[in-house]
Amino acid sequence: MRRRGALLVAGVVLAGAVLWSGIDRVLIRVYSGGGFAGTYDLVVIWASGRALIGDREVIWSRLTPGQLRRLRAALGAADFPHSPHHRGGVNFGHRIDYGRWSVIVNSSDVEGAPWLADVLEVPLEVNAAHRVR
């Protein structure tokens, strides 16, 4: 009886560990848009490469291994602590949420910080490929 109980406990612990390790965390969240219409596009990318595009009409997608590698490389080279941060109204820009960083930049800010363009490349590419029409 004891052995059966021990096996049951071990099974529950193992199942919990498998489930915990399988949790997919958000890698990056990007809102893009603005302008007079005030419309924004949302792209959320998880560590596994899953992607959600849109906030009202949601499309699910998956990054290619190459896209995920490019995004991870861009995030690894990013300088979020020293990023330009646009204060005030943004005519057309982006909000990038990555880890503990949340950066709001205007399009002209991206031109002044090339690494921002690298970080935005894959999310904007995914959004353009799956844009809700």
Side-chain angles (χ1 to χ4, degrees):
M1 188 66 149
R2 260 188 180 166
R3 185 171 183 179
R4 185 177 283 166
L7 287 174
L8 179 62
V9 168
V12 168
V13 168
L14 180 61
V18 168
L19 287 173
W20 177 254
S21 67
I23 293 175
D24 200 6
R25 298 175 195 257
V26 170
L27 183 60
I28 188 171
R29 183 178 293 116
V30 176
Y31 298 91
S32 299
F36 292 114
T39 59
Y40 287 87
D41 293 323
L42 169 67
V43 176
V44 181
I45 299 173
W46 279 263
S48 67
R50 273 187 319 138
L52 175 144
I53 300 101
D55 57 351
R56 292 195 179 111
E57 294 184 44
V58 173
I59 296 172
W60 287 96
S61 184
R62 180 163 292 282
L63 272 62
T64 65
Q67 287 174 316
L68 192 55
R69 273 192 304 275
R70 284 187 1 239
L71 178 59
R72 287 180 188 265
L75 290 169
D79 188 13
F80 283 101
H82 299 103
S83 69
H85 190 84
H86 194 80
R87 303 198 191 288
V90 174
N91 186 27
F92 184 82
H94 311 279
R95 175 176 156 197
I96 304 166
D97 296 332
Y98 171 66
R100 65 185 181 119
W101 304 104
S102 185
V103 177
I104 300 170
V105 291
N106 204 339
S107 297
S108 61
D109 297 329
V110 174
E111 294 169 12
W115 64 266
L116 279 170
D118 294 342
V119 167
L120 289 168
E121 183 179 357
V122 170
L124 295 180
E125 182 179 293
V126 169
N127 186 38
H130 299 294
R131 186 178 302 267
V132 177
R133 294 183 167 93

